Amino acid sequence: MTASELEYATPDTQRTPVVKLYLGIGLLVFAGLMLVGALMRAAQGATTISIGPEVFYQLMTLHGAGMVGTAGLAALAVNWYFLSKYVRLNQKIFLGTLVLSLVAVVMIVGSILIGKFAAGWTFLYPLPATSLGLWSKGAALTFVGGLLLLGVAFLLVYLDMGIAIVRRYGSIARALGLPMLFGREPIDPTHPPAVVASAMVLIVNVAGIAAGAIVLIMTILHLIYPPLAPDALLMKNLIYFFGHVFINATIYSAVIAVYEILPLYARRPWTVSRPFLAAWLAVTLMVLAVYPHHLLMDFAMPSWMAIMGQILSYTSGIPVLVVTAFSGLMLVYRSGIRWDAASSLLVLSLFGWAVGIVPAVIDGMINVNLVMHNTLWVPGHFHFYLLLGLLPMVLGFASYLSANGQQGRTGRVGAMVYAVGATLLCLSFLVSGALSVPRRFAVHEESWQWLGDVGALSGGIVLVGTLMIAVPILLKLPRARLASISESG
Amino acid sequence: MSSRTALSMALALCLVGGLLWQRTAGFSAFTYETWRQSQVVRQRPPVSDWRLQDDQGKVVRLSDWGEQVLLVSFIFTRCTSVCGALGVRYRQLQRAMEATGSKRVRLLSVSIDPAHDTPERLAEYRSRFGGARTSWTIARPADEQTLSTLISETGLRVIPDRTGGFAHSDSLHWIRDGRLVRISAWTDPALEGLLTDAG
Amino acid sequence: MPAERWRQWPLALTLAFCVAGLIPVTARLFEASMQAHLLVQMPLLAFCGGYWVSRSERLQAWLERADPSGGVALVLGSGWLIYWMLPLNLDLATFDPSVRLLKVLTVPVLLGATLTWSWRQLGPVGRGVMLMEGWAILVRLGWIYLISPVQLCSNYLIGDQQRTGSLLLGLALISAALAAIWGVFGPFRKTDRCQPE
Ligand code: HEM
Ligand SMILES: [Cu+2]
């Protein structure tokens, strides 16, 4: 690294402490919420435990909101850590985001466990205001207020990241590599993929937060003054824009771990190329426009939007996935890579992401969607992404950060256990979906219940695998000192 | 952030919060109409002895009703929107009063368009709903002076709309013993209770 | 900052202030419609205060001592913004002389001047949050005015209210497009390091 580059980087001592906090909290919460997920699946199986529908929907709201929020925080930690290598970020703001998020989490969890709020993490308007006595107006307000606070927290850190990027690279467009892509500037092989990905995440998430700032306040106003009733379809559009973009962006943040860590194993650099930049530009635009695939069943939506949603669903994940998976394989191929916890998890994540595309594309077809959208096919598709794509990236990063990836046999076995459990769990969802088992049903018919039990069991396996990887990390994390590139070989 | 800054920010927050609290009657009134309701409950402002002319041309005064609770609504006969609903509502309340034989409450519709709403037009307004005169009086201010007095005493806002009519409040004003004691929405279910309440 | 400052600014400021709030003829004209009241008169009054802050060095020196971080100003300014967004206050200001006076005197100082000062003192992140929130206010307010089933201001017809809502939403749309372009391709000036082309 040259002197002028160092000048821009965040000082090394400031890069790790807060990231460790994020990861520590994130891993703990992930494990806890996995237990909640397994409980839900067990309840759907009905042979081991039974919980009332009211509790089921509280747990579902807790699991959904908690997982999405935690995924956001964990992916942010990956993003922040690697971006801070290239631009000077403000550690205090990063910490502030965490603190505000934790306050938000307290509000959200409180509204669910104490206030019995159970309208799902999508708080689909006007459900929060029509609780039929299950939860109070105050509980709904607290939940929505918590989400609003979460949005503000993320906005702070994204603004800081954006400003730092602009300071070094001149503009977000330049960080995204547009001048290089369109031939206005020569391809700069040292332009970091992490910066390209960060620029994309910034663009889509700030747009998503803007939509959130509106739809959340409108929900609050409707709660306070019910006659003020905004158009439900418009609200749904905004909610899905906000929610979809947010959860979608997590994988594009977390993939930075692959870009940054795999090259260390392969001892080959990961350089930007024109196809790489084109893929990231395409995905920036697509992620912003793909959300209507959540609304394919709303016949009142203009059909061009449904068609756009369909086409983009086919294609949206693909560009970045292809360049990433392809370059990832090329990188690893015959590099004499060392297979430890971190490297296996990262390669697993590429596999999971690639295969996860298939159910997504199938569900994105309007005709299929009309039949499938409310089946467990959908949780099958997104758990695939999240459990086999996002989480391995986060776990691999945590392993690398705390133990330099070397977690011995336990780590390797843990990664195996995790992969098997997660695949089984996703299959239990997908098979259920193919059998037309509805999603978001607290009670399942008898003929579906064995799938619930399989799901619960595999959820348990996932949890075991996660703990095998995460517990040693958590124990080491407080004292871990990261080896620099040259030491890691 | 220094503790001084934090303290002054907290103070500033209290200041604007307090002002908001004060103006909105404890974060309950955000529009003029709801604000007026909260003010009246608190202050029970006196009203003067309005001079009105009813749909038979007879002059009536507020004091004629004595102890009874008078529900006053403001209308104009050309109105194509809420005044019709108000008439239906009054007829409904009147039926309830007739059924129970209660004499506690009396109804009064006052025109805010006295120049146009002659006693004949007021009588025509009544005929649309078919209510008896005994418990429901329909009247117009007997003179310009009364019109402006009753507008200022109730805090009513009347503004001309683009079709030659008026946009006006559809609330019911409860007047008793020369005081405005409450303003409620015409849909308020508490009105039924008022009719039958003994006290 | 230009070296030579326009010397006549206090005069211009006073003039603008008088036109916006003090001269009954023009003030009434602004208040006659909701659009003009909310989108012309109020911003003009706020602008007077903001302009004063950005021009008067004496005032700046005082503020530097009183509120160096701009935090107090931010709290006061946003609180006062909410205060005057209430339909109730907009309404009262059109016919209650004391409220009208309150508006004319405090909006420049407690809204325009405070928000300008906090903008000057805040870092880029704080400014970003202010911009985003300001934009979101445009959308929310516009949307509310457009769909409210009741006439929110008893002094403005519901049609007037809906027109104001559409105007606010239009403004929001335009500013969103501009902000997106500026945010992605901006800031259109040389930053620390721009490689020579
Ligand atoms: C052991 C691991 C997990 C298990 C057993 C599990 C189980 C479940 C179950 C049973 C549901 C409800 C399905 C339905 O009937 O509709 C669900 C929903 C969901 N899960 Fe998971 N899950 C796991 C991990 C994750 C992870 C890692 C994430 C995200 C990072 C996640 C995000 C979600 C979301 C967003 C929902 C949707 C909730 C809703 O429909 O409102 N889950 N999960
Ligand atoms: Cu009317």
Side-chain angles (χ1 to χ4, degrees), chain A residues 444-482:
Chain A
H444 280 191
E445 268 194 39
E446 224 164 282
S447 58
W448 306 334
Q449 287 176 353
W450 66 276
L451 284 161
D453 287 328
V454 172
L457 184 69
S458 33
I461 300 177
V462 175
L463 184 57
V464 170
T466 310
L467 290 178
M468 283 173 78
I469 304 163
V471 169
I473 293 177
L474 286 171
L475 293 178
K476 272 195 210 159
L477 204 54
R479 271 167 292 109
R481 266 195 58 239
L482 188 70

Short mmCIF file of all heavy atoms in Angstrom, two decimals, chain A residues 444-482:
data_model
loop_
_atom_site.label_atom_id
_atom_site.label_comp_id
_atom_site.label_asym_id
_atom_site.label_seq_id
_atom_site.Cartn_x
_atom_site.Cartn_y
_atom_site.Cartn_z
N HIS A 444 -50.54 -26.83 10.86
CA HIS A 444 -50.46 -27.52 9.58
C HIS A 444 -51.33 -28.77 9.57
O HIS A 444 -51.55 -29.40 10.61
CB HIS A 444 -49.01 -27.89 9.26
CG HIS A 444 -48.23 -26.75 8.71
ND1 HIS A 444 -47.00 -26.88 8.15
CD2 HIS A 444 -48.52 -25.43 8.63
CE1 HIS A 444 -46.55 -25.69 7.75
NE2 HIS A 444 -47.46 -24.80 8.04
N GLU A 445 -51.80 -29.10 8.38
CA GLU A 445 -52.58 -30.33 8.25
C GLU A 445 -51.70 -31.54 8.53
O GLU A 445 -50.49 -31.50 8.36
CB GLU A 445 -53.14 -30.43 6.84
CG GLU A 445 -54.50 -29.81 6.73
CD GLU A 445 -55.19 -30.19 5.45
OE1 GLU A 445 -55.07 -31.37 5.04
OE2 GLU A 445 -55.83 -29.31 4.87
N GLU A 446 -52.38 -32.61 8.88
CA GLU A 446 -51.62 -33.78 9.32
C GLU A 446 -50.65 -34.29 8.25
O GLU A 446 -49.52 -34.65 8.53
CB GLU A 446 -52.59 -34.90 9.70
CG GLU A 446 -52.21 -35.59 11.00
CD GLU A 446 -53.38 -36.38 11.52
OE1 GLU A 446 -54.32 -35.78 12.11
OE2 GLU A 446 -53.36 -37.60 11.32
N SER A 447 -51.11 -34.26 7.00
CA SER A 447 -50.27 -34.82 5.94
C SER A 447 -49.03 -33.96 5.69
O SER A 447 -48.11 -34.40 5.03
CB SER A 447 -51.08 -34.96 4.66
OG SER A 447 -51.59 -33.69 4.30
N TRP A 448 -49.01 -32.74 6.20
CA TRP A 448 -47.84 -31.89 5.98
C TRP A 448 -46.86 -31.96 7.15
O TRP A 448 -45.77 -31.41 7.09
CB TRP A 448 -48.24 -30.41 5.83
CG TRP A 448 -49.27 -30.13 4.79
CD1 TRP A 448 -49.53 -30.87 3.67
CD2 TRP A 448 -50.18 -29.02 4.77
NE1 TRP A 448 -50.54 -30.29 2.96
CE2 TRP A 448 -50.97 -29.16 3.60
CE3 TRP A 448 -50.41 -27.94 5.61
CZ2 TRP A 448 -51.96 -28.25 3.26
CZ3 TRP A 448 -51.39 -27.02 5.27
CH2 TRP A 448 -52.16 -27.18 4.11
N GLN A 449 -47.32 -32.56 8.23
CA GLN A 449 -46.59 -32.34 9.47
C GLN A 449 -45.20 -32.96 9.49
O GLN A 449 -44.30 -32.43 10.12
CB GLN A 449 -47.43 -32.83 10.66
CG GLN A 449 -48.59 -31.87 10.93
CD GLN A 449 -49.51 -32.35 12.02
OE1 GLN A 449 -49.38 -33.47 12.51
NE2 GLN A 449 -50.46 -31.51 12.40
N TRP A 450 -45.04 -34.08 8.78
CA TRP A 450 -43.71 -34.71 8.81
C TRP A 450 -42.66 -33.73 8.28
O TRP A 450 -41.53 -33.70 8.75
CB TRP A 450 -43.71 -36.01 8.02
CG TRP A 450 -43.93 -35.84 6.53
CD1 TRP A 450 -45.11 -35.73 5.89
CD2 TRP A 450 -42.91 -35.75 5.53
NE1 TRP A 450 -44.92 -35.58 4.54
CE2 TRP A 450 -43.58 -35.60 4.28
CE3 TRP A 450 -41.51 -35.81 5.55
CZ2 TRP A 450 -42.89 -35.47 3.08
CZ3 TRP A 450 -40.83 -35.69 4.34
CH2 TRP A 450 -41.52 -35.53 3.11
N LEU A 451 -43.07 -32.89 7.32
CA LEU A 451 -42.11 -31.93 6.79
C LEU A 451 -41.69 -30.91 7.85
O LEU A 451 -40.54 -30.48 7.92
CB LEU A 451 -42.73 -31.20 5.60
CG LEU A 451 -42.79 -32.03 4.31
CD1 LEU A 451 -43.79 -31.46 3.34
CD2 LEU A 451 -41.40 -32.08 3.69
N GLY A 452 -42.66 -30.56 8.68
CA GLY A 452 -42.34 -29.67 9.79
C GLY A 452 -41.32 -30.30 10.72
O GLY A 452 -40.37 -29.64 11.17
N ASP A 453 -41.52 -31.59 10.98
CA ASP A 453 -40.57 -32.25 11.87
C ASP A 453 -39.19 -32.33 11.24
O ASP A 453 -38.18 -32.09 11.91
CB ASP A 453 -41.09 -33.65 12.22
CG ASP A 453 -42.27 -33.57 13.18
OD1 ASP A 453 -42.27 -32.61 14.00
OD2 ASP A 453 -43.18 -34.40 13.11
N VAL A 454 -39.16 -32.65 9.95
CA VAL A 454 -37.86 -32.66 9.27
C VAL A 454 -37.22 -31.28 9.38
O VAL A 454 -36.03 -31.14 9.69
CB VAL A 454 -38.03 -33.05 7.78
CG1 VAL A 454 -36.72 -32.86 7.03
CG2 VAL A 454 -38.53 -34.47 7.65
N GLY A 455 -38.04 -30.25 9.18
CA GLY A 455 -37.53 -28.88 9.26
C GLY A 455 -36.98 -28.58 10.65
O GLY A 455 -35.90 -27.99 10.79
N ALA A 456 -37.73 -28.97 11.66
CA ALA A 456 -37.28 -28.70 13.02
C ALA A 456 -35.96 -29.39 13.30
O ALA A 456 -35.02 -28.80 13.85
CB ALA A 456 -38.34 -29.14 14.02
N LEU A 457 -35.89 -30.64 12.88
CA LEU A 457 -34.66 -31.41 13.09
C LEU A 457 -33.49 -30.73 12.37
O LEU A 457 -32.43 -30.50 12.97
CB LEU A 457 -34.85 -32.84 12.56
CG LEU A 457 -33.67 -33.77 12.81
CD1 LEU A 457 -33.56 -34.06 14.29
CD2 LEU A 457 -33.81 -35.05 12.00
N SER A 458 -33.72 -30.38 11.10
CA SER A 458 -32.59 -29.79 10.38
C SER A 458 -32.27 -28.40 10.94
O SER A 458 -31.10 -27.99 10.94
CB SER A 458 -32.87 -29.74 8.88
OG SER A 458 -34.23 -29.54 8.62
N GLY A 459 -33.29 -27.69 11.42
CA GLY A 459 -33.01 -26.42 12.11
C GLY A 459 -32.09 -26.66 13.28
O GLY A 459 -31.15 -25.89 13.53
N GLY A 460 -32.36 -27.74 14.01
CA GLY A 460 -31.48 -28.09 15.13
C GLY A 460 -30.05 -28.34 14.66
O GLY A 460 -29.08 -27.88 15.27
N ILE A 461 -29.94 -29.06 13.53
CA ILE A 461 -28.61 -29.35 13.02
C ILE A 461 -27.89 -28.04 12.64
O ILE A 461 -26.71 -27.84 12.95
CB ILE A 461 -28.70 -30.29 11.79
CG1 ILE A 461 -29.39 -31.60 12.20
CG2 ILE A 461 -27.32 -30.57 11.22
CD1 ILE A 461 -29.60 -32.56 11.04
N VAL A 462 -28.62 -27.14 11.98
CA VAL A 462 -28.03 -25.85 11.62
C VAL A 462 -27.51 -25.15 12.87
O VAL A 462 -26.39 -24.62 12.90
CB VAL A 462 -29.06 -24.94 10.93
CG1 VAL A 462 -28.47 -23.57 10.68
CG2 VAL A 462 -29.54 -25.56 9.64
N LEU A 463 -28.34 -25.19 13.89
CA LEU A 463 -27.95 -24.51 15.13
C LEU A 463 -26.67 -25.13 15.69
O LEU A 463 -25.74 -24.40 16.11
CB LEU A 463 -29.10 -24.60 16.14
CG LEU A 463 -28.90 -23.86 17.45
CD1 LEU A 463 -28.63 -22.38 17.19
CD2 LEU A 463 -30.12 -24.00 18.35
N VAL A 464 -26.60 -26.46 15.69
CA VAL A 464 -25.40 -27.12 16.20
C VAL A 464 -24.18 -26.70 15.38
O VAL A 464 -23.14 -26.31 15.93
CB VAL A 464 -25.58 -28.66 16.15
CG1 VAL A 464 -24.25 -29.35 16.46
CG2 VAL A 464 -26.64 -29.09 17.16
N GLY A 465 -24.33 -26.76 14.06
CA GLY A 465 -23.21 -26.35 13.20
C GLY A 465 -22.80 -24.92 13.48
O GLY A 465 -21.60 -24.61 13.60
N THR A 466 -23.80 -24.04 13.59
CA THR A 466 -23.50 -22.64 13.86
C THR A 466 -22.72 -22.50 15.16
O THR A 466 -21.72 -21.76 15.23
CB THR A 466 -24.80 -21.83 13.96
OG1 THR A 466 -25.60 -22.11 12.83
CG2 THR A 466 -24.51 -20.34 14.03
N LEU A 467 -23.20 -23.21 16.17
CA LEU A 467 -22.53 -23.07 17.47
C LEU A 467 -21.11 -23.62 17.41
O LEU A 467 -20.19 -23.05 18.01
CB LEU A 467 -23.34 -23.78 18.55
CG LEU A 467 -24.67 -23.08 18.89
CD1 LEU A 467 -25.45 -23.86 19.93
CD2 LEU A 467 -24.41 -21.65 19.38
N MET A 468 -20.92 -24.71 16.66
CA MET A 468 -19.57 -25.28 16.57
C MET A 468 -18.60 -24.26 15.97
O MET A 468 -17.42 -24.21 16.33
CB MET A 468 -19.58 -26.55 15.70
CG MET A 468 -20.13 -27.76 16.43
SD MET A 468 -20.32 -29.16 15.32
CE MET A 468 -18.63 -29.72 15.19
N ILE A 469 -19.11 -23.47 15.05
CA ILE A 469 -18.23 -22.45 14.47
C ILE A 469 -18.19 -21.20 15.35
O ILE A 469 -17.14 -20.61 15.58
CB ILE A 469 -18.72 -22.06 13.05
CG1 ILE A 469 -18.81 -23.31 12.17
CG2 ILE A 469 -17.81 -21.03 12.42
CD1 ILE A 469 -19.64 -23.11 10.93
N ALA A 470 -19.36 -20.83 15.86
CA ALA A 470 -19.46 -19.52 16.49
C ALA A 470 -18.91 -19.49 17.91
O ALA A 470 -18.32 -18.49 18.32
CB ALA A 470 -20.92 -19.05 16.49
N VAL A 471 -19.07 -20.56 18.65
CA VAL A 471 -18.64 -20.51 20.04
C VAL A 471 -17.13 -20.26 20.17
O VAL A 471 -16.71 -19.34 20.89
CB VAL A 471 -19.10 -21.76 20.81
CG1 VAL A 471 -18.42 -21.85 22.17
CG2 VAL A 471 -20.61 -21.75 20.98
N PRO A 472 -16.29 -21.06 19.43
CA PRO A 472 -14.85 -20.76 19.52
C PRO A 472 -14.55 -19.32 19.09
O PRO A 472 -13.68 -18.66 19.68
CB PRO A 472 -14.22 -21.76 18.55
CG PRO A 472 -15.23 -22.84 18.39
CD PRO A 472 -16.56 -22.22 18.58
N ILE A 473 -15.29 -18.85 18.06
CA ILE A 473 -15.05 -17.48 17.60
C ILE A 473 -15.37 -16.50 18.73
O ILE A 473 -14.60 -15.59 19.05
CB ILE A 473 -15.93 -17.16 16.38
CG1 ILE A 473 -15.49 -18.00 15.18
CG2 ILE A 473 -15.87 -15.68 16.05
CD1 ILE A 473 -16.34 -17.80 13.95
N LEU A 474 -16.54 -16.71 19.35
CA LEU A 474 -16.96 -15.78 20.39
C LEU A 474 -15.96 -15.78 21.54
O LEU A 474 -15.70 -14.73 22.14
CB LEU A 474 -18.35 -16.17 20.90
CG LEU A 474 -19.49 -15.84 19.93
CD1 LEU A 474 -20.80 -16.45 20.39
CD2 LEU A 474 -19.63 -14.32 19.81
N LEU A 475 -15.40 -16.96 21.84
CA LEU A 475 -14.45 -17.01 22.94
C LEU A 475 -13.18 -16.26 22.60
O LEU A 475 -12.58 -15.59 23.45
CB LEU A 475 -14.13 -18.47 23.28
CG LEU A 475 -15.31 -19.24 23.87
CD1 LEU A 475 -14.93 -20.69 24.15
CD2 LEU A 475 -15.81 -18.56 25.14
N LYS A 476 -12.78 -16.35 21.33
CA LYS A 476 -11.51 -15.72 20.95
C LYS A 476 -11.66 -14.26 20.61
O LYS A 476 -10.71 -13.48 20.71
CB LYS A 476 -10.95 -16.44 19.72
CG LYS A 476 -10.09 -17.64 20.05
CD LYS A 476 -9.31 -18.04 18.82
CE LYS A 476 -9.04 -19.52 18.80
NZ LYS A 476 -8.75 -20.03 17.48
N LEU A 477 -12.86 -13.91 20.15
CA LEU A 477 -13.05 -12.60 19.53
C LEU A 477 -12.51 -11.43 20.35
O LEU A 477 -11.82 -10.56 19.80
CB LEU A 477 -14.54 -12.41 19.23
CG LEU A 477 -14.89 -11.43 18.11
CD1 LEU A 477 -14.16 -11.78 16.84
CD2 LEU A 477 -16.38 -11.41 17.87
N PRO A 478 -12.78 -11.39 21.67
CA PRO A 478 -12.37 -10.19 22.40
C PRO A 478 -10.88 -9.92 22.29
O PRO A 478 -10.46 -8.76 22.27
CB PRO A 478 -12.76 -10.51 23.85
CG PRO A 478 -13.81 -11.54 23.74
CD PRO A 478 -13.52 -12.32 22.51
N ARG A 479 -10.07 -10.99 22.22
CA ARG A 479 -8.63 -10.75 22.22
C ARG A 479 -7.98 -10.89 20.85
O ARG A 479 -6.80 -10.67 20.70
CB ARG A 479 -7.96 -11.70 23.23
CG ARG A 479 -7.89 -11.11 24.63
CD ARG A 479 -7.52 -12.15 25.65
NE ARG A 479 -8.59 -13.13 25.83
CZ ARG A 479 -8.52 -14.39 25.42
NH1 ARG A 479 -7.45 -14.82 24.82
NH2 ARG A 479 -9.53 -15.21 25.64
N ALA A 480 -8.81 -11.26 19.86
CA ALA A 480 -8.23 -11.57 18.56
C ALA A 480 -7.50 -10.37 17.96
O ALA A 480 -7.98 -9.25 18.01
CB ALA A 480 -9.33 -12.03 17.62
N ARG A 481 -6.32 -10.68 17.41
CA ARG A 481 -5.62 -9.64 16.66
C ARG A 481 -5.49 -10.14 15.24
O ARG A 481 -5.06 -11.27 15.00
CB ARG A 481 -4.22 -9.40 17.24
CG ARG A 481 -4.18 -8.26 18.24
CD ARG A 481 -2.75 -7.83 18.51
NE ARG A 481 -2.07 -7.42 17.29
CZ ARG A 481 -0.96 -7.99 16.84
NH1 ARG A 481 -0.44 -9.00 17.47
NH2 ARG A 481 -0.37 -7.54 15.76
N LEU A 482 -5.87 -9.31 14.33
CA LEU A 482 -5.91 -9.80 12.97
C LEU A 482 -4.53 -9.81 12.35
O LEU A 482 -3.79 -8.83 12.42
CB LEU A 482 -6.84 -8.93 12.14
CG LEU A 482 -7.07 -9.52 10.76
CD1 LEU A 482 -7.91 -10.77 10.89
CD2 LEU A 482 -7.71 -8.52 9.87
#
